[in-house]
C-alpha cells in the first residue's frame, strides 16, 4: 500500500477515497455513512488490528488463580468476553458474590450476556477509567483482578496503585496486526487511524510504505505520536475543540480540499 510518487502540491489534492482502519459500523445511522453520502466520497472499512485470546495455560503461567479474587475490573467488552472464556476453560464457576466494576454503561450492559444483571453487584463508571476510580476506592478490602490486553494503558496501573487497593493484572487477550495483503495494490487518498497499534500494523504489513500524497488522519495523542515516530505527517487530527469526532475532522478537511 502506498500513494503515487508525485510530489505533494501546496494545495491539498481532492479526497475521493478513505480507508478507516476499523470494522464497518453496524448501525445504519453512523456518521460515516452520512459523510460518505453528503461529501460524495467512498469510505471502506478494514480492521488493521484484531484481538486474539490467550490460552488458560498462559494465564496460569501469569500466576493467576481466579478463585483468589473478589472483584473484577472490566474496561471493555473484550475484557468481559475473555474473562468468562478463561473462567470456562479453567472450569471456574464465578461466584454470585463477585463484584463487577465496569468502566462504562456500555460495558455493564454487555455483562448481561454472562450474568443476571439484577442479581449481581455491579458498579458502573461514566466513561473513562479515572471516573471509575472513586467507586473502586470505596471498596478497599476487595481483591481486584484486571483482565486486559497486552496493550494496557500505563495510566490504569498507576491509578490503581494510587488507590492503595490489592489488585493484579492478567493478560487475557492480545492485540495483533491483521493480514492486510489484499490492500497491497489498493490506494486511498486518506488513511484513518485510532490507535498506535493501527500504525504498527500498517508498517508490519507494508514496511516500505511511503506517505507521498496520502493524507493521514489520526485520533488521540498517542496515535499522533506513533504516526510521527514512523515519519508520517498527520494531516487530519481529532479530537480538537472544533472537531471532537473523527467524522467531523474528516468533513472539515474534505470540504476544504474538494472546494476547488
Amino acid at each position: 500500500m502506498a500513494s503515487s510518487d508525485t510530489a505533494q502540491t501546496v494545495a491539498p489534492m481532492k479526497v475521493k477515497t478513505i480507508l478507516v482502519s476499523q470494522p464497518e459500523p453496524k448501525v445504519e445511522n453512523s456518521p460515516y455513512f452520512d459523510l460518505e453520502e453528503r461529501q460524495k466520497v467512498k469510505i471502506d472499512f478494514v480492521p488493521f488490528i484484531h484481538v486474539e485470546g490467550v490460552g488458560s495455560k498462559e494465564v496460569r503461567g501469569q500466576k493467576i488463580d481466579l478463585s483468589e479474587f473478589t472483584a473484577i475490573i472490566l474496561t471493555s467488552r473484550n475484557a468481559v468476553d475473555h474473562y468468562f472464556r478463561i473462567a470456562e476453560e479453567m472450569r471456574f464457576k464465578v461466584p454470585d458474590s463477585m463484584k463487577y466494576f465496569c468502566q462504562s454503561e456500555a460495558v455493564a450492559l454487555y455483562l448481561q450476556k454472562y450474568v443476571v444483571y439484577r442479581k449481581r453487584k455491579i458498579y458502573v463508571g461514566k466513561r473513562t477509567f479515572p471516573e471509575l476510580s472513586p467507586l473502586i476506592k470505596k471498596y478497599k478490602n476487595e481483591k481486584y483482578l484486571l483482565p486486559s490486553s497486552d496493550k494496557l494503558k500505563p495510566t490504569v496501573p498507576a491509578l490503581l496503585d494510587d488507590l492503595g487497593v490489592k489488585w493484579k493484572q492478567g493478560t487475557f487477550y492480545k492485540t495483533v496486526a491483521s493480514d492486510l495483503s489484499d490492500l497491497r495494490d489498493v490506494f486511498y487518498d486518506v488513511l484513518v487511524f485510532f490507535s498506535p497499534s493501527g500504525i504498527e500494523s500498517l508498517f508490519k504489513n507494508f514496511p516500505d510504505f511511503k506517505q507521498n500524497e496520502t493524507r493521514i488522519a489520526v485520533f488521540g495523542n498517542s496515535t499522533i505520536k506513533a504516526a510521527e515516530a514512523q515519519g508520517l505527517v498527520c494531516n487530519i487530527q481529532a479530537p480538537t475543540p472544533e472537531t471532537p469526532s473523527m467524522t467531523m475532522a474528516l468533513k472539515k478537511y474534505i470540504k476544504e480540499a474538494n472546494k476547488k
Side-chain angles (χ1 to χ4, degrees):
M1 175 189 285
S3 62
S4 67
D5 292 329
T6 307
Q8 177 74 47
T9 55
V10 174
M13 293 183 65
K14 288 187 177 182
V15 173
K16 296 179 181 177
T17 57
I18 299 171
L19 178 62
V20 178
S21 60
Q22 285 189 331
E24 182 171 343
K26 294 181 180 179
V27 293
E28 293 181 4
N29 61 343
S30 167
Y32 282 104
F33 301 146
D34 184 64
L35 179 72
E36 187 174 39
E37 183 179 348
R38 291 179 182 271
Q39 301 303 320
K40 309 301 181 189
V41 294
K42 183 178 187 297
I43 303 178
D44 290 336
F45 299 87
V46 177
F48 275 36
I49 56 175
H50 64 276
V51 166
E52 290 183 356
V54 165
S56 57
K57 183 178 180 181
E58 189 172 336
V59 173
R60 285 193 183 95
Q62 299 172 44
K63 294 183 169 53
I64 290 176
D65 179 352
L66 297 185
S67 66
E68 292 181 355
F69 302 96
T70 59
I72 309 296
I73 300 171
L74 300 168
T75 57
S76 68
R77 294 179 181 183
N78 279 326
V80 176
D81 282 335
H82 290 282
Y83 169 72
F84 285 97
R85 175 184 62 81
I86 288 295
E88 185 176 355
E89 286 184 18
M90 290 184 170
R91 293 186 173 85
F92 172 71
K93 187 179 185 305
V94 182
D96 294 346
S97 59
M98 184 68 73
K99 293 183 173 68
Y100 301 94
F101 291 78
C102 302
Q103 182 166 311
S104 67
E105 185 177 358
V107 174
L109 291 173
Y110 188 73
L111 188 59
Q112 293 180 93
K113 180 179 176 181
Y114 298 96
V115 302
V116 180
Y117 201 84
R118 67 180 185 276
K119 293 183 178 180
R120 299 294 183 269
K121 296 175 181 177
I122 300 171
Y123 308 88
V124 186
K126 293 180 180 178
R127 188 177 61 88
T128 66
F129 194 81
E131 291 170 326
L132 178 63
S133 296
L135 290 172
I136 296 173
K137 190 176 182 179
K138 284 184 180 179
Y139 296 88
K140 280 200 166 185
N141 294 327
E142 303 297 334
K143 189 167 184 182
Y144 291 92
L145 174 65
L146 174 66
S148 72
S149 78
D150 57 330
K151 304 287 187 181
L152 182 64
K153 291 181 180 178
T155 52
V156 174
L159 278 168
L160 287 171
D161 286 342
D162 288 343
L163 293 176
V165 296
K166 293 179 181 178
W167 71 281
K168 186 176 180 67
Q169 183 264 340
T171 299
F172 281 40
Y173 55 100
K174 294 181 178 180
T175 303
V176 298
S178 300
D179 179 4
L180 305 176
S181 55
D182 289 349
L183 297 175
R184 181 166 297 282
D185 298 315
V186 182
F187 307 101
Y188 290 90
D189 297 321
V190 179
L191 301 180
V192 184
F193 296 95
F194 293 86
S195 70
S197 298
I199 301 291
E200 290 174 18
S201 177
L202 172 67
F203 284 94
K204 182 173 182 180
N205 279 276
F206 310 107
D208 56 348
F209 176 81
K210 297 292 187 292
Q211 182 173 355
N212 299 318
E213 290 172 351
T214 301
R215 271 56 59 84
I216 302 294
V218 288
F219 190 92
N221 290 331
S222 60
T223 312
I224 293 171
K225 289 178 182 176
E228 291 177 343
Q230 291 285 0
L232 300 177
V233 175
C234 300
N235 311 93
I236 305 162
Q237 299 182 15
T240 68
E242 186 181 0
T243 57
S245 71
M246 178 53 77
T247 49
M248 291 175 71
L250 288 169
K251 179 181 178 181
K252 181 177 182 294
Y253 184 89
I254 294 166
K255 289 178 77 172
E256 182 66 27
N258 292 6
K259 70 179 181 181
K260 59 181 184 297

